Amino acid sequence: DTEVTQTPKHLVMGMTNKKSLKCEQHMGHRAMYWYKQKAKKPPELMFVYSYEKLSINESVPSRFSPECPNSSLLNLHLHALQPEDSALYLCASSPTPEPEKLFFGSGTQLSVL
Amino acid sequence: GESVGLHLPTLSVQEGDNSIINCAYSNSASDYFIWYKQESGKGPQFIIDIRSNMDKRQGQRVTVLLNKTVKHLSLQIAATQPGDSAVYFCAEILGGGSQGNLIFGKGTKLSVKP
């Protein structure tokens, strides 16, 4: 299995809702990432988990809360989002945090109304 | 066809022609470079990488060239096919950095005309 699986593929939520994005990989990778991508822009790093511990938080607002329950799973909990948070949220993994290729999921397209 | 990356975000080529996508990277201390392809509705997909101790690396139908003197990276696609239509991102990592230091370029959209 060489895939990173993200669910749901699409999500519409109101500003008062609480929702979660899920990411799963079974490649034995020990580093996992959340990226945010606006239309026609490159991905922007949000969080890095290294060996199930949060190692990088790129000054992301607290309405985004990451969680890594185990080495295969990564969640992103969403609460009280703003319309400008609408974007494609990408999960990625790599064997280690060292520089090498990333394996990306297909993303969750999020719309905040 | 040839693009200049940041200054020409769209490249249109005829099927069967060779494509050249250029990227000017930002930091002379970067020592690892990657090209990703992103098709509509999908996440980025790894194409090829190169480390700073190399000038050229070849894959299947793709070649990456690195010119450290002018901080320039290019991706050459031979015999471009309709399936190559996508946005292509170059990315760099600073020497001694981790994946958290990965910096994406702005991207170039490649359109292949049948």
Side-chain angles (χ1 to χ4, degrees), chain B residues 37-106:
Chain B
K37 171 188 180 183
Q38 187 172 22
E39 297 176 83
S40 181
K42 296 185 179 180
Q45 178 186 8
F46 171 85
I47 302 173
I48 193 168
D49 59 0
I50 189 169
R51 297 192 184 271
S52 60
N53 60 354
M54 301 174 70
D55 297 322
K56 178 180 180 179
R57 192 166 186 213
Q58 289 185 289
Q60 187 177 12
R61 278 201 309 119
V62 295
T63 301
V64 57
L65 298 176
L66 175 63
N67 184 331
K68 295 180 287 294
T69 302
V70 295
K71 296 191 291 185
H72 184 268
L73 193 67
S74 69
L75 177 70
Q76 300 178 2
I77 305 174
T80 313
Q81 302 169 0
D84 295 326
S85 294
V87 176
Y88 290 80
F89 292 101
C90 64
E92 60 184 297
I93 296 182
L94 292 174
S98 68
Q99 291 280 17
N101 303 117
L102 183 69
I103 303 170
F104 280 91
K106 292 186 178 180

Side-chain angles (χ1 to χ4, degrees), chain A residues 55-69:
Chain A
S55 60
I56 294 178
N57 175 341
E58 291 287 348
S59 303
V60 180
S62 60
R63 58 186 183 269
F64 295 91
S65 176
E67 178 196 19
C68 189

